[in-house]
Amino acid sequence: MPGPKRLQLALFGAGRMGTIHAANIAAHPRAVLAAIVDPNTEGARALAEAFQSRVRSATDVFDDPAVDAIVIASAASTHPELIDQALARGKAVFCEKPLARDLDTVRSLVAAVEAAGTPFLLAFNRRFDPGFASLASRLREGEAGAPELVLLTSRDPGPPPMDYIVASGGILRETTIHDIDMARWLTGEEPESVYAVGAARTDPRIAAAGHVDTVMVTLRMPSGTLVSINNSWRATYGYDQRAEVHGAGGMLQLGNVLSTPVTAWNAGGGSSDKPQPFFLQRYVDAYQRELDYFVNRLEEGGAMSPGAADGLKALEIAQAAEESMRSGLAIRLS
Amino acid sequence: MPGPKRLQLALFGAGRMGTIHAANIAAHPRAVLAAIVDPNTEGARALAEAFQSRVRSATDVFDDPAVDAIVIASAASTHPELIDQALARGKAVFCEKPLARDLDTVRSLVAAVEAAGTPFLLAFNRRFDPGFASLASRLREGEAGAPELVLLTSRDPGPPPMDYIVASGGILRETTIHDIDMARWLTGEEPESVYAVGAARTDPRIAAAGHVDTVMVTLRMPSGTLVSINNSWRATYGYDQRAEVHGAGGMLQLGNVLSTPVTAWNAGGGSSDKPQPFFLQRYVDAYQRELDYFVNRLEEGGAMSPGAADGLKALEIAQAAEESMRSGLAIRLS
Amino acid sequence: MPGPKRLQLALFGAGRMGTIHAANIAAHPRAVLAAIVDPNTEGARALAEAFQSRVRSATDVFDDPAVDAIVIASAASTHPELIDQALARGKAVFCEKPLARDLDTVRSLVAAVEAAGTPFLLAFNRRFDPGFASLASRLREGEAGAPELVLLTSRDPGPPPMDYIVASGGILRETTIHDIDMARWLTGEEPESVYAVGAARTDPRIAAAGHVDTVMVTLRMPSGTLVSINNSWRATYGYDQRAEVHGAGGMLQLGNVLSTPVTAWNAGGGSSDKPQPFFLQRYVDAYQRELDYFVNRLEEGGAMSPGAADGLKALEIAQAAEESMRSGLAIRLS
Amino acid sequence: MPGPKRLQLALFGAGRMGTIHAANIAAHPRAVLAAIVDPNTEGARALAEAFQSRVRSATDVFDDPAVDAIVIASAASTHPELIDQALARGKAVFCEKPLARDLDTVRSLVAAVEAAGTPFLLAFNRRFDPGFASLASRLREGEAGAPELVLLTSRDPGPPPMDYIVASGGILRETTIHDIDMARWLTGEEPESVYAVGAARTDPRIAAAGHVDTVMVTLRMPSGTLVSINNSWRATYGYDQRAEVHGAGGMLQLGNVLSTPVTAWNAGGGSSDKPQPFFLQRYVDAYQRELDYFVNRLEEGGAMSPGAADGLKALEIAQAAEESMRSGLAIRLS
């Protein structure tokens, strides 16, 4: 790919995630926001105006040979069709998770992506966060020795809307899946067993719908490394995203990012500021870095990571965790 | 009990724990260290000299009506016999854990203690630590709302000697049992299920003996509160004792106590001091406070907490965790 | 100023600060980077290309009625002339400190700005940093009560080049001046006396040139509030920017912003990451926010703060501090 | 001195400090609390009872050849006479600061102590605090390189009673003198100049009496090391005792010791516990360690540090600071 040429990226989805990606593409020195595609034309138009792009139809985008890649930030239900189209037209794909809701579709998508050999990034945001990335690389450099205990904490300030919970399949697929990806990435292993317990504590409608909002998941890795994930859809103090890896040579911890480094001291003690309120603020750097990684890899060629297969592995584990929670049994993963 | 009279306490065991209790009894304004009993007469004599007490035989102590209470800090195998004697002679008991190694003996001891109505303190040290105690009382005052997720971390700097591991029954009975007691105490609930996974990572002899040194235990409480305990017999950075309770109204965390509040900043970042090296330093206040509590309760009369029954409950849960680890199944507790 | 119209900003200076401002102007939804002016045409061209702007001459910019404002990020020696031109042509000014090197010129510039009534922002970056801004607003809301003791720490990782030190007039004008502005801003008072001591510790050439690299400055405010500023041009651990205000009702502290929230624990203790390396990283948000403030104030009309007079006040105090350091006397400020 | 013999220490003063020392002497394995001397016989008797000692007269103590040393914790006005007596009778001295209130008396006491060659400890408590001691020794080992900037913060929760303020001579002699001792100890240098500013902020009676409760003191050391001390007799958040040394090779910081390591997170952020409430709690270890040091040095023989001369040096600097505050001038110290 010639140096001066800017990559043409078409964005599907003008919602919350689409807005983030639109801004990052527009600000990238070697990318162009070539199109915004969204059935909600008003939202699409507003975004196009703000970032000096234009609203186009999906057909138009896929037919345009100048479009190098698509960025999928639309509703999850649209992902399989968009991926299929992109593979068919030879366009690289930057895809928000999930690939699809059901495991069969995910499996066939992974097979299709691998068969096509199209550059494909499954955008698990935490892998691109400077903090998680530093944790992972220092772990790989041996700073904590061989990992023995991994603790992953992800808690959201509040639950998603009920219809979203139902559509997404619940907390294990929606939230825990990020921690599962972290567990795989940080340990470099695939779990041999998973055990999950959960409870519905925040909203009676969640229980009524057969869902939970609070979970603990235990993974056992082949090396003997043990992973404990805890999640909640309630956190009065902001968005709680922490990790801890204890190994033979020490411990590495990732703490929360506070909104400001101001602390107040008075009769009640010393009060720090709160963690960032939610993922939009917490992962602002991660979203920029994942887009930058995508652009760099497109230019350089070669495989992208995490790829479609990582989405499949994480979903398989999340599904086993669901089975564990339902049955009360630990589930053996082959 | 008359004000000016000092309580006469006889100490069994002149080892590591005995030395701590000897010093605390000697320094207590309303207690007297009336005797040191230990088959190792040299150790007993040294302790008696240092704290201006005297070495006596068990028979002599139990026959002496002036002795108000015994403090049991001798080898675990001697606990049942000493407790029986104390109950028979009407002497109050301050007992280091465990009551006994096997569940049947523990059950009969609990029954005997309850039948006798003798004042009895099972000295789970963490309940008397100012940090854990503050965490528990703030939790009870509602500072975090109803508990939803509890994380308990206990890691020792290194494994005990092999023969001690074998004699004690292993990490779940020796180390995890403290966290199990914390889980019961902090939540005010008895677990309805327990799941445990473990691995042997620190020393091949541990694996060879069929033991583990690294565990994760999940408890599910009837309210839906979920507890995750992680333990290791290896920590390069000192004695790691932390707790976190996440509730509907916030989160309470107990961090490590650092050796000094000195931090060094240089090209590598900012380096704090290490946590206290081991329990002797970390729980120095707890040991003073539990002795003081024992003296106060003896003077005031009334039940002591934690009592023998708390030792039984914790052991039942630890034993279920062992069964879970062995079978790979989550164990339902009645 | 009509809503849809984007403000046309011309940037003077394509160096380190110019690059920051170019990026921020280009990314601002209601501003346009209308021109880059720099005698170093190569640098100007590179910047123009990266941010889709164009290189123009100063004359061309000042003659162009479409240019709404100029952003001065060029060498300090060029500031007076550029300000004069902007006032003459009725263009708003965003000016990096200093207004000028000598006090007489600064005084006449302030008089000219005030006479002209042109919108003018003197870009003291810390006022726009989210941390310092939060500290100031919480202080104003009374969280610490009336301020009594103010501690300001600014330490650079290393000294500037020797010729820059000489040209800038030294550490009090170059570095301390930011803390002086903070002292005025946080307390809302003008100092009644200043005392300064200094030393040259980092590089013998600094001493040889009659300069210092390490200073402590004490300000006494009319209310009795006492301020201590410490500065150094050496810090092995990064860019050190802290503030502490102790008042009748408590204390507010602003700590450093660490590069990542990762901490490593091992036999040496717990090591946090380093503070941000230098101002470019530490004040990335501040630069965006000051540009945004400038655009907003231009659109809304009205005075800007800090203004030219704030530059004059700070320079007067810095100059008195120099006199104090030279004479060994505390200097009374009228 | 033969091993088994316990040193006989006579304690003068049964007040707050006397109580601390009584407990530490009584608990020391190689010391005996041989006497309590206090004109307040009720207080003396209570202390004697609590620590199994007895009340005696000063004459009796000084006449008793078995008494090895006296511990002076009585009112400051009694110190000179007690020191004189001890020197005359050849008894070692452990003396709370100050030696005396006026400089002439201090000078003659120092001369007398040096002439007599009697073991003498001036008990500046911070030198024995594990945190300050660690800071000092790590500094000496070169962890921060050559010191360049030293910041010392000491703030009390509230002012002493008015009559005590008047009797003690004010904040510089009462509070700042500890920081002055720290400055000398940490840098290993004697200041060449001192500058002080102060204000009365907490209680109008303090101003009315011509005193201040808030000070900032700057010391310049011959090497160029600069020291800034800040003190207040008001701190809503407890007893604030911090130190920071910035050097060519890094920075060492001593933070506050918090009451517990519990942190609460909720909508207001993360709240740590408060620092220890006051010196009795904060320096509990220091008081034990200074007594232990005194006993060890008495047994081993040899000079003690800090000695009487350290009290003189600190007072000279405090007095120069008073002169600076009064005159508005920096004071040159010979």
Side-chain angles (χ1 to χ4, degrees):
Chain A
M1 200 156 283
K5 184 181 169 291
R6 290 186 174 218
L7 288 165
Q8 307 257 336
L9 308 188
L11 173 67
F12 287 79
R16 200 163 50 169
M17 283 310 306
T19 304
I20 290 172
H21 292 310
N24 290 337
I25 297 167
H28 198 284
R30 297 193 311 283
V32 169
L33 181 57
I36 313 273
V37 189
D38 195 303
N40 167 6
T41 47
E42 204 172 331
R45 223 170 277 146
L47 211 55
E49 217 158 275
F51 296 103
Q52 293 166 290
S53 178
R54 63 204 171 98
V55 179
R56 296 166 70 179
S57 71
T59 312
D60 187 30
V61 161
F62 285 116
D63 285 349
D64 181 354
V67 170
D68 297 294
I70 66 166
V71 172
I72 304 179
S74 48
S77 57
T78 67
H79 292 196
E81 171 64 17
L82 292 173
I83 294 169
D84 281 342
Q85 287 274 350
L87 299 184
R89 302 306 185 93
K91 306 210 179 296
V93 180
F94 173 115
C95 185
E96 279 298 318
K97 65 123 189 133
L99 292 166
R101 293 295 188 202
D102 68 295
L103 203 46
D104 285 348
T105 310
V106 170
R107 280 190 182 122
S108 65
L109 286 171
V110 170
V113 167
E114 285 172 0
T118 306
F120 192 100
L121 181 72
L122 185 65
F124 275 125
N125 56 359
R126 288 186 210 169
R127 294 212 192 187
F128 298 94
D129 172 64
F132 276 101
S134 167
L135 183 75
S137 84
R138 292 172 67 172
L139 193 57
R140 250 154 235 150
E141 287 155 15
E143 244 190 89
E148 294 172 353
L149 294 166
V150 179
L151 306 183
L152 299 168
T153 292
S154 305
R155 299 174 194 151
D156 288 5
M162 270 316 295
D163 54 353
Y164 188 88
I165 294 174
V166 171
S168 72
I171 193 168
L172 289 163
R173 287 160 186 256
E174 179 59 21
T175 299
T176 315
I177 204 161
H178 284 285
D179 299 291
I180 290 169
D181 183 60
M182 280 298 100
R184 295 179 61 245
W185 190 50
L186 294 174
T187 64
E189 294 190 87
E190 300 299 332
E192 62 181 30
S193 73
V194 57
Y195 174 75
V197 282
R201 305 296 293 269
T202 66
D203 184 334
R205 291 174 302 162
I206 291 176
H211 278 280
V212 297
D213 46 33
T214 310
V215 294
M216 273 187 177
V217 177
T218 306
L219 305 176
R220 197 185 193 286
M221 300 303 190
S223 66
T225 298
L226 310 175
V227 180
S228 179
I229 297 168
N230 76 87
N231 300 132
S232 170
W233 278 344
R234 162 149 70 191
T236 61
Y237 49 92
Y239 187 50
D240 192 354
Q241 300 277 293
R242 286 173 288 148
E244 175 176 321
V245 181
H246 173 82
M251 172 168 63
L252 284 162
Q253 287 180 314
L254 178 76
N256 280 314
V257 177
L258 304 184
S259 295
T260 71
V262 177
T263 305
W265 291 86
N266 53 42
S271 294
S272 75
D273 207 338
K274 287 197 293 183
Q276 298 286 357
F278 209 12
F279 67 92
L280 298 174
Q281 298 84 7
R282 173 64 184 83
Y283 290 120
V284 66
D285 291 338
Y287 294 124
Q288 283 170 11
R289 287 162 49 114
E290 68 186 12
L291 192 274
D292 186 54
Y293 171 83
F294 183 69
V295 169
N296 283 330
R297 296 303 285 155
L298 271 188
E299 289 174 350
E300 297 161 0
M304 294 185 180
S305 173
D310 293 290
L312 171 58
K313 296 270 189 185
L315 183 60
E316 284 171 342
I317 299 164
Q319 199 152 307
E322 284 173 349
E323 193 188 330
S324 172
M325 201 160 70
R326 224 167 19 238
S327 66
L329 299 169
I331 303 301
R332 190 131 202 107
L333 293 154
S334 52
Chain B
M1 199 152 289
K5 186 183 167 289
R6 288 185 176 219
L7 289 166
Q8 306 256 337
L9 307 188
L11 173 67
F12 287 78
R16 199 163 51 170
M17 283 310 304
T19 303
I20 291 172
H21 292 310
N24 290 338
I25 297 167
H28 198 283
R30 296 192 312 284
V32 170
L33 181 58
I36 312 274
V37 190
D38 197 301
N40 167 7
T41 47
E42 204 172 332
R45 224 171 276 147
L47 211 54
E49 218 158 276
F51 296 105
Q52 294 165 292
S53 180
R54 63 201 171 99
V55 178
R56 295 167 70 180
S57 70
T59 312
D60 189 30
V61 161
F62 284 118
D63 284 349
D64 181 353
V67 170
D68 298 295
I70 66 166
V71 172
I72 304 179
S74 47
S77 57
T78 67
H79 292 197
E81 172 64 17
L82 292 173
I83 294 170
D84 280 343
Q85 287 274 350
L87 299 183
R89 302 305 186 94
K91 304 208 181 298
V93 181
F94 174 114
C95 186
E96 280 296 319
K97 65 125 188 132
L99 293 167
R101 294 293 186 205
D102 68 295
L103 203 46
D104 284 346
T105 310
V106 169
R107 280 190 183 124
S108 66
L109 286 171
V110 170
V113 168
E114 285 173 359
T118 306
F120 193 102
L121 181 72
L122 185 66
F124 274 127
N125 56 358
R126 288 186 209 170
R127 294 213 193 185
F128 298 94
D129 172 64
F132 276 102
S134 167
L135 182 76
S137 84
R138 292 171 69 171
L139 193 57
R140 251 154 233 147
E141 286 156 16
E143 244 190 90
E148 295 173 351
L149 294 166
V150 179
L151 307 183
L152 298 168
T153 293
S154 304
R155 299 174 195 151
D156 288 5
M162 269 315 295
D163 54 353
Y164 188 88
I165 294 174
V166 171
S168 71
I171 194 168
L172 289 164
R173 286 162 188 255
E174 180 58 22
T175 298
T176 315
I177 203 160
H178 284 285
D179 299 292
I180 290 170
D181 182 61
M182 281 299 100
R184 294 178 60 244
W185 190 51
L186 293 174
T187 64
E189 295 190 87
E190 300 299 333
E192 60 180 32
S193 72
V194 56
Y195 174 75
V197 281
R201 308 294 294 270
T202 66
D203 184 334
R205 291 174 304 161
I206 292 176
H211 278 280
V212 298
D213 47 32
T214 310
V215 295
M216 274 186 176
V217 176
T218 307
L219 304 176
R220 195 185 196 286
M221 301 303 191
S223 66
T225 299
L226 310 175
V227 180
S228 179
I229 296 169
N230 75 87
N231 299 132
S232 169
W233 278 345
R234 163 150 66 192
T236 60
Y237 50 92
Y239 188 49
D240 192 354
Q241 301 277 292
R242 287 174 286 147
E244 176 175 320
V245 181
H246 173 81
M251 170 168 63
L252 283 162
Q253 288 180 315
L254 177 76
N256 280 314
V257 176
L258 304 185
S259 295
T260 71
V262 176
T263 306
W265 291 87
N266 52 43
S271 294
S272 75
D273 208 338
K274 285 197 293 183
Q276 297 287 355
F278 208 13
F279 66 93
L280 297 174
Q281 298 84 6
R282 173 63 184 84
Y283 290 121
V284 67
D285 291 338
Y287 294 124
Q288 283 172 9
R289 287 162 50 114
E290 69 185 9
L291 192 274
D292 187 56
Y293 171 83
F294 182 69
V295 170
N296 284 331
R297 295 303 283 155
L298 271 189
E299 288 174 350
E300 297 161 0
M304 294 186 180
S305 173
D310 292 292
L312 172 57
K313 296 271 190 187
L315 184 60
E316 285 172 343
I317 299 164
Q319 199 152 308
E322 284 173 350
E323 193 188 329
S324 172
M325 202 160 70
R326 225 167 17 238
S327 67
L329 298 170
I331 304 300
R332 189 129 201 107
L333 293 154
S334 53
Chain C
M1 202 156 282
K5 184 183 168 290
R6 291 187 174 217
L7 288 166
Q8 306 257 336
L9 307 188
L11 172 68
F12 288 78
R16 198 162 54 168
M17 284 309 307
T19 303
I20 291 172
H21 292 310
N24 290 338
I25 297 167
H28 197 284
R30 296 193 310 284
V32 169
L33 180 58
I36 312 273
V37 188
D38 195 303
N40 166 6
T41 47
E42 203 172 332
R45 224 170 276 147
L47 212 55
E49 218 158 274
F51 296 104
Q52 294 165 292
S53 178
R54 62 201 173 100
V55 179
R56 296 167 69 181
S57 71
T59 312
D60 187 30
V61 161
F62 285 118
D63 284 349
D64 182 353
V67 170
D68 297 294
I70 67 167
V71 172
I72 305 179
S74 47
S77 56
T78 66
H79 293 196
E81 171 64 18
L82 291 173
I83 295 169
D84 280 344
Q85 288 274 350
L87 300 184
R89 303 306 186 92
K91 306 212 179 296
V93 180
F94 174 115
C95 186
E96 281 296 319
K97 65 124 188 131
L99 292 167
R101 292 293 187 204
D102 68 296
L103 203 47
D104 284 348
T105 309
V106 169
R107 281 193 181 120
S108 66
L109 285 172
V110 170
V113 168
E114 286 172 1
T118 306
F120 192 101
L121 181 71
L122 185 66
F124 274 125
N125 56 359
R126 289 187 209 169
R127 295 211 192 188
F128 299 93
D129 172 64
F132 276 101
S134 168
L135 182 76
S137 84
R138 292 172 68 172
L139 193 58
R140 249 154 235 150
E141 285 155 16
E143 245 191 90
E148 294 172 353
L149 294 166
V150 179
L151 306 183
L152 298 168
T153 292
S154 305
R155 299 174 195 152
D156 288 6
M162 270 314 297
D163 55 352
Y164 188 87
I165 294 175
V166 171
S168 72
I171 193 169
L172 289 164
R173 286 161 188 256
E174 179 59 21
T175 298
T176 316
I177 204 160
H178 283 286
D179 299 292
I180 290 170
D181 183 60
M182 281 298 100
R184 295 179 60 243
W185 190 51
L186 293 174
T187 64
E189 294 191 85
E190 300 299 333
E192 61 181 31
S193 73
V194 57
Y195 174 74
V197 281
R201 305 296 294 268
T202 65
D203 184 335
R205 290 175 304 163
I206 291 176
H211 279 280
V212 297
D213 46 32
T214 310
V215 294
M216 274 188 176
V217 176
T218 307
L219 304 177
R220 196 185 195 285
M221 300 303 193
S223 67
T225 299
L226 310 175
V227 180
S228 180
I229 297 168
N230 76 86
N231 299 132
S232 169
W233 278 344
R234 162 150 69 193
T236 60
Y237 49 93
Y239 188 50
D240 191 354
Q241 302 276 293
R242 287 174 287 149
E244 174 176 323
V245 182
H246 173 82
M251 171 169 63
L252 284 162
Q253 288 180 314
L254 177 77
N256 280 315
V257 176
L258 303 185
S259 295
T260 72
V262 176
T263 305
W265 291 86
N266 53 43
S271 293
S272 74
D273 207 337
K274 286 196 294 182
Q276 297 286 356
F278 209 12
F279 67 93
L280 298 174
Q281 298 85 7
R282 172 64 185 82
Y283 290 121
V284 66
D285 290 339
Y287 294 124
Q288 282 172 8
R289 286 163 50 114
E290 67 184 13
L291 192 273
D292 187 55
Y293 171 83
F294 182 70
V295 169
N296 283 332
R297 294 305 284 157
L298 271 189
E299 288 174 350
E300 295 162 1
M304 295 185 179
S305 173
D310 292 291
L312 172 58
K313 296 271 189 186
L315 183 60
E316 285 171 342
I317 298 164
Q319 197 151 310
E322 285 173 349
E323 193 188 328
S324 173
M325 201 160 70
R326 225 170 14 239
S327 67
L329 299 169
I331 304 300
R332 190 132 203 106
L333 294 154
S334 53
Chain D
M1 201 155 287
K5 185 182 166 289
R6 289 186 175 218
L7 289 165
Q8 305 257 334
L9 307 189
L11 172 67
F12 287 78
R16 199 163 51 170
M17 283 311 304
T19 303
I20 291 172
H21 292 310
N24 290 338
I25 297 167
H28 197 283
R30 296 192 311 284
V32 170
L33 181 57
I36 312 273
V37 189
D38 196 301
N40 167 7
T41 47
E42 206 172 331
R45 225 171 275 148
L47 211 54
E49 220 158 273
F51 296 105
Q52 294 167 289
S53 179
R54 60 199 173 101
V55 178
R56 295 167 71 180
S57 71
T59 311
D60 188 30
V61 160
F62 284 118
D63 285 348
D64 182 352
V67 170
D68 297 295
I70 66 165
V71 172
I72 304 178
S74 48
S77 57
T78 67
H79 292 196
E81 171 65 17
L82 292 173
I83 294 169
D84 280 343
Q85 288 274 349
L87 299 183
R89 302 306 185 94
K91 304 207 180 301
V93 181
F94 174 115
C95 186
E96 280 296 319
K97 65 123 189 135
L99 293 167
R101 292 295 188 205
D102 67 294
L103 202 48
D104 285 348
T105 309
V106 169
R107 280 190 182 126
S108 63
L109 286 171
V110 170
V113 168
E114 286 174 357
T118 306
F120 192 101
L121 181 71
L122 185 66
F124 274 125
N125 56 359
R126 288 185 209 168
R127 294 213 193 185
F128 298 94
D129 172 65
F132 276 102
S134 167
L135 182 76
S137 84
R138 292 172 69 172
L139 193 57
R140 249 155 235 149
E141 286 156 16
E143 245 191 88
E148 295 173 351
L149 294 167
V150 179
L151 306 183
L152 298 168
T153 292
S154 305
R155 298 173 195 152
D156 288 5
M162 269 315 296
D163 54 354
Y164 187 88
I165 294 175
V166 170
S168 72
I171 194 169
L172 289 164
R173 285 161 189 255
E174 181 58 23
T175 298
T176 316
I177 203 160
H178 283 285
D179 299 292
I180 291 170
D181 183 60
M182 280 299 100
R184 294 179 61 243
W185 189 50
L186 293 173
T187 63
E189 295 190 85
E190 301 298 332
E192 61 180 32
S193 73
V194 55
Y195 175 75
V197 283
R201 307 296 294 268
T202 66
D203 184 335
R205 290 174 305 162
I206 290 175
H211 278 281
V212 297
D213 47 31
T214 309
V215 295
M216 274 186 176
V217 176
T218 307
L219 304 176
R220 193 184 198 286
M221 300 303 191
S223 66
T225 299
L226 310 175
V227 180
S228 179
I229 297 168
N230 75 87
N231 299 132
S232 169
W233 278 345
R234 163 151 66 193
T236 61
Y237 50 91
Y239 188 49
D240 191 353
Q241 303 275 292
R242 287 174 286 149
E244 176 175 321
V245 182
H246 173 82
M251 171 167 63
L252 283 161
Q253 289 180 314
L254 177 76
N256 280 313
V257 176
L258 304 185
S259 295
T260 72
V262 177
T263 305
W265 291 86
N266 53 42
S271 293
S272 75
D273 207 337
K274 284 196 295 181
Q276 297 287 357
F278 208 13
F279 66 94
L280 298 175
Q281 298 84 8
R282 173 63 183 83
Y283 290 120
V284 66
D285 291 337
Y287 294 124
Q288 284 172 9
R289 287 162 50 114
E290 68 186 9
L291 192 273
D292 187 55
Y293 171 83
F294 182 69
V295 169
N296 283 331
R297 296 303 285 156
L298 271 188
E299 289 174 351
E300 297 162 359
M304 294 186 179
S305 172
D310 292 292
L312 172 57
K313 296 272 188 186
L315 184 60
E316 285 172 342
I317 298 164
Q319 198 152 310
E322 284 173 350
E323 193 188 329
S324 171
M325 202 161 70
R326 227 174 8 245
S327 66
L329 298 170
I331 304 301
R332 192 132 200 106
L333 293 153
S334 51

